Amino acid sequence: MNSLLAGLDPGQREAVLCPPTATIVHAGAGSGKTRVLTHRIAHRVLTGSAHGRHVLAITFTREAAGEMRRRLRALGVTDGETGTPTIGTFHAVALSLLRQRLIGLGRSVPNIVHNRIALAVAAASEHPLGQRPRELLVEIDWAHARRIAPDQYAVAVKREQRYVPFPAAEIADLYRAYESLKRKRHVVDLDDLVSRVTDDLLDDPEFAEITRWRFRHLFVDEAQDMNPLQFAMFEALRGGREDVFIVGDPLQAIYGWNGSDHRLFDALPETIGRTTVLALPNNYRSSANIVEAARHVAQAATSDVQVQAMREPGNKVVLRTYESAEDEANGVAAILRSVANRGGSDPWSSCAVLVRTNAQIPAITAALRRERIPVGSNKPAAELLSVVDRAAQATSRHSLSVWANDTLLDSEDEAERTVADLVNQFLHLDHPGTVDGRAFSAWVTSSSTATNEIVRGVEVMTIHSAKGREWRCVVVAGAEEGLLPHRSAKTREQRSEEIRLAYVALTRAADLLVITYATSRNGRSTKPSELLEGLPLGVTPAATDMPLKIERRLPSLLDDLVAWRNELARRIVQSPESVCTDEDLRRIVDTMPSSADELAPIFGPLTAARVSSELLPIVARYSDA
């Protein structure tokens, strides 16, 4: 048990050890919230105050769920007498519960729509949004998340002062047509799963009792992002009980545009009653200069900024001005080239460019490619989806398992082996009812990133997409009025969310943060964002003064550890982050372990024993440095 608590700071230790009553943890950026959440579950299970099979942990992404499973396995929470915790997204958990219920009732499980874009196009028909189906789906998803029916949509848009691409009444008609098409084609989308399970829990006392007995201990990650629909499912699962552990950060609530409502998280102490509220303000990710810059930005929205830097000041934050968006894109490429020239085993994938809108991405990626800088991607791979379709033909659990095992034994095709690994993950989970290829395909759909293909390189993405990620070097481009905060933010709450979004962008950087803006974009004059006014930390505007060195203790060791992680990820066909996090690697640098036992507080005893033969010789090379 001592190894479970090793390396935790006093606030983290308090969160892990507090009594098993309703607990809400305000976990700031870079505070080690995933470590606290997994160590809390492990502590409860290993001390006997919770049984693994009765634990439900809800996350917002499949990557987060996979990372939690990996860490719990490393901490010794595996298949045993207590069983394995259930960890998944709201959609995945809802699908599992719905399957269990319908199969128990002798009814068929509904098909999940596989191509929402095509469905939206069909619903829009001749309307111009038929050419822009993603914008229509954003509005439909917002309405679903807020539990707004088509007849209520126009009124809700007016009440919320929501920016919409077409008159609300027209979108309401398309929303109605979309729902009608789903019924005609006998398909549901992912939000329907959450809605149906929530209604069943509220309407069927027996189903609710069985489900609450099964999931006696509830854990929720990133709870500030819950929307009313998800919150209703959480409350239906909770059923008034107090054995809940909820982690969130009010400063990272950035999905109101998509239906989330951070006020639900803020009101949890009153909603639940008799809660313990704890705070994890320590930021271990970013240098002190970066943390202070982020704090300055966040204070434009709230005076309650609970974040404290735990690292040295490091590099100064850099501000760069360009005459046009094209000049800015070329300047970003030059900055990244300078950073990469400082060395490192994988310099490109340790950098990211974050922007407010998708429209900014093409110019930047084009500039990077002109400079022969690799651009990373994480998009669904057609070949993987094709293999999933083949696996879906399996008519039983046995035939699905045989297909996966035969593929892993005989196939050298990476796509086939990746899907076979996914099948084994799926079979390892606790699925009620019939388990076959069709069920596997539905699981993949509900875990929407299961078949994403990762290409290493500089990642260029919107700030929303960067949530939960970190890089050594981050360039935040387009920090201008009208972009950050975005011009669509009309109300005080919308503007506050834009400020929180800027805070999230800045806290993605660990060592070097560069902020850029143009004085002209799309032929119109622009001004720097007012959030930059008075930015602290001696911002350095001169190109010759820009500190490009990424300083860390024993940087050569860190580079070698990154190279080891990337090679292991390549061998097992997984993303590097699924092997271990940057935080884990930094802990190795800080502690310089010389045995598997000393690695155990970082990886857990089982994983430490597996990787020690590869890792310890790497560390030993620097032990006398």
Side-chain angles (χ1 to χ4, degrees):
M1 193 56 63
N2 288 336
S3 64
L4 183 66
L5 302 177
L8 300 179
D9 67 28
Q12 293 170 337
R13 185 183 292 255
E14 182 182 11
V16 170
L17 297 179
C18 68
T21 56
T23 303
I24 302 167
V25 181
H26 289 216
S31 63
K33 70 173 181 62
T34 304
R35 176 183 299 172
V36 167
L37 194 55
T38 51
H39 280 63
R40 170 69 170 179
I41 294 173
H43 178 263
R44 293 284 309 274
V45 172
L46 297 177
T47 58
S49 68
H51 283 75
R53 68 174 61 90
H54 296 304
V55 168
L56 171 62
I58 302 177
T59 69
F60 276 80
T61 67
R62 184 180 180 274
E63 293 96 333
E67 175 65 12
M68 285 184 64
R69 293 189 196 101
R70 183 190 71 79
R71 293 196 187 198
L72 286 172
R73 286 195 298 268
L75 293 171
V77 181
T78 56
D79 287 332
E81 292 183 3
T82 67
T84 302
T86 298
I87 302 172
T89 64
F90 276 97
H91 294 138
V93 172
L95 173 62
S96 177
L97 290 174
L98 187 63
R99 281 176 50 82
Q100 177 186 28
R101 174 169 171 75
L102 293 178
I103 290 171
L105 295 173
R107 293 157 55 186
S108 61
V109 178
N111 292 318
I112 301 174
V113 59
H114 286 279
N115 192 337
R116 296 186 74 215
I117 294 291
L119 193 66
V121 169
S125 186
E126 300 300 320
H127 192 279
L129 278 179
Q131 302 298 316
R132 295 151 57 184
R134 294 186 187 279
E135 293 182 51
L136 174 58
L137 288 174
V138 165
E139 295 308 304
I140 291 173
D141 289 344
W142 176 78
H144 280 168
R146 295 294 179 108
R147 311 191 84 181
I148 297 168
D151 292 343
Q152 303 167 328
Y153 174 82
V155 173
V157 165
K158 183 177 181 180
R159 181 180 64 246
E160 300 289 336
Q161 298 184 49
R162 179 175 175 80
Y163 170 83
V164 291
F166 279 87
E170 295 181 21
I171 296 177
D173 289 339
L174 304 186
Y175 176 17
R176 190 177 297 105
Y178 177 85
E179 296 298 307
S180 177
L181 270 180
K182 284 194 302 182
R183 290 191 295 271
K184 288 179 181 178
R185 298 183 182 184
H186 304 289
V187 295
V188 297
D189 57 24
L190 297 180
D191 283 337
D192 292 327
L193 302 176
V194 178
S195 181
R196 289 182 61 169
V197 164
T198 301
D199 290 342
D200 286 349
L201 287 167
L202 296 175
D203 296 339
D204 186 336
E206 182 179 358
F207 175 58
E209 182 180 358
I210 292 172
T211 303
R212 292 166 189 159
W213 178 86
R214 178 186 177 191
F215 296 134
R216 305 174 194 176
H217 322 290
L218 298 182
F219 298 78
V220 182
D221 189 16
E222 300 283 9
Q224 79 281 346
D225 291 332
M226 280 193 291
N227 59 46
L229 177 60
Q230 293 162 340
F231 185 78
M233 176 174 162
F234 162 73
E235 279 290 86
L237 286 168
R238 186 172 74 89
R241 296 170 299 164
E242 296 181 356
D243 192 347
V244 294
F245 189 86
I246 305 167
V247 180
D249 181 9
L251 284 178
Q252 296 189 72
I254 60 173
Y255 292 109
W257 62 276
N258 203 27
S260 298
D261 188 346
H262 69 92
R263 292 170 296 188
L264 298 169
F265 176 75
D266 298 340
L268 277 174
E270 292 76 28
T271 301
I272 297 175
R274 294 192 299 176
T275 57
T276 299
V277 180
L278 304 175
L280 300 177
N282 295 341
N283 183 309
Y284 294 95
R285 173 192 302 151
S286 306
S287 67
N289 283 343
I290 293 172
V291 170
E292 287 306 310
R295 184 204 305 275
H296 170 81
V297 168
Q299 285 173 339
T302 176
S303 59
D304 185 21
V305 181
Q306 299 187 43
V307 58
Q308 179 176 330
M310 301 303 292
R311 292 182 53 199
E312 294 297 318
N315 295 307
K316 292 180 179 179
V317 174
V318 178
L319 182 64
R320 284 292 190 86
T321 308
Y322 299 92
E323 291 186 0
S324 67
E326 182 179 357
D327 290 339
E328 180 189 45
N330 292 331
V332 168
I335 290 168
L336 294 173
R337 176 65 68 184
S338 298
V339 172
N341 287 342
R342 294 285 173 166
S345 61
D346 192 8
W348 302 121
S349 60
S350 66
C351 300
V353 183
L354 307 183
V355 296
R356 176 60 182 84
T357 68
N358 283 305
Q360 297 167 256
I361 293 177
I364 294 173
T365 56
L368 298 185
R369 290 185 173 118
R370 282 196 298 270
E371 288 296 313
R372 298 184 178 180
I373 295 175
V375 178
S377 69
N378 190 18
K379 298 179 180 179
E383 57 269 30
L384 291 180
L385 296 176
S386 175
V387 178
V388 169
D389 287 341
R390 296 208 301 271
Q393 304 306 310
T395 57
S396 67
R397 182 189 188 102
H398 175 71
S399 61
L400 186 61
S401 176
V402 168
W403 178 88
N405 291 332
D406 288 349
T407 299
L408 290 173
L409 285 172
D410 301 331
S411 177
E412 296 182 359
D413 181 83
E414 281 199 18
E416 291 184 347
R417 295 183 63 83
T418 298
V419 175
D421 282 334
L422 286 172
V423 168
N424 283 332
Q425 290 180 36
F426 168 76
L427 294 174
H428 192 66
L429 300 175
D430 181 19
H431 292 287
T434 303
V435 174
D436 55 15
R438 180 183 170 190
F440 167 68
S441 179
W443 175 74
V444 169
T445 301
S446 68
S447 306
S448 58
T449 57
T451 55
N452 282 10
E453 179 182 47
I454 297 173
V455 177
R456 307 296 288 172
V458 174
E459 296 193 66
V460 185
M461 64 179 66
T462 64
I463 303 170
H464 284 104
S465 300
K467 176 77 181 302
R469 304 285 303 280
E470 66 175 81
W471 295 268
R472 295 172 68 186
C473 169
V474 169
V475 180
V476 179
E480 302 151 19
E481 286 187 5
L483 278 178
L484 197 65
H486 195 268
R487 62 182 63 87
S488 63
K490 304 296 184 183
T491 67
R492 176 180 296 181
E493 173 53 36
Q494 290 166 351
R495 177 175 169 75
S496 293
E497 180 166 310
E498 288 290 314
I499 295 170
R500 295 193 297 268
L501 187 63
Y503 170 82
V504 166
L506 271 54
T507 54
R508 300 311 93 194
D511 297 314
L512 180 61
L513 172 63
V514 182
I515 304 171
T516 70
Y517 66 90
T519 57
S520 174
R521 189 175 297 273
N522 299 325
R524 285 185 280 186
S525 297
T526 56
K527 297 179 181 179
S529 170
E530 60 189 79
L531 299 179
L532 301 181
E533 184 177 349
L535 197 71
L537 309 177
V539 174
T540 307
T544 55
D545 295 334
M546 187 172 70
L548 290 176
K549 184 178 180 181
I550 298 179
E551 298 177 344
R552 281 187 185 269
R553 178 173 176 259
L554 294 178
S556 296
L557 171 55
L558 186 61
D559 288 341
D560 282 353
L561 292 175
V562 170
W564 165 79
R565 179 180 67 175
N566 293 344
E567 171 58 23
L568 178 57
R570 187 195 64 78
R571 294 202 309 261
I572 65 176
V573 199
Q574 296 290 334
S575 68
E577 289 75 17
S578 69
V579 174
C580 64
T581 65
D582 290 344
E583 182 183 2
D584 293 332
L585 298 185
R586 283 197 293 272
R587 290 185 68 195
I588 294 174
V589 172
D590 290 339
T591 60
M592 299 293 289
S594 59
S595 67
D597 288 341
E598 292 177 4
L599 273 175
I602 300 173
F603 291 106
L606 298 179
T607 301
R610 278 201 309 270
V611 303
S612 60
S613 62
E614 295 184 2
L615 269 183
L616 294 178
I618 297 173
V619 177
R621 293 202 295 265
Y622 298 91
S623 59
D624 297 326

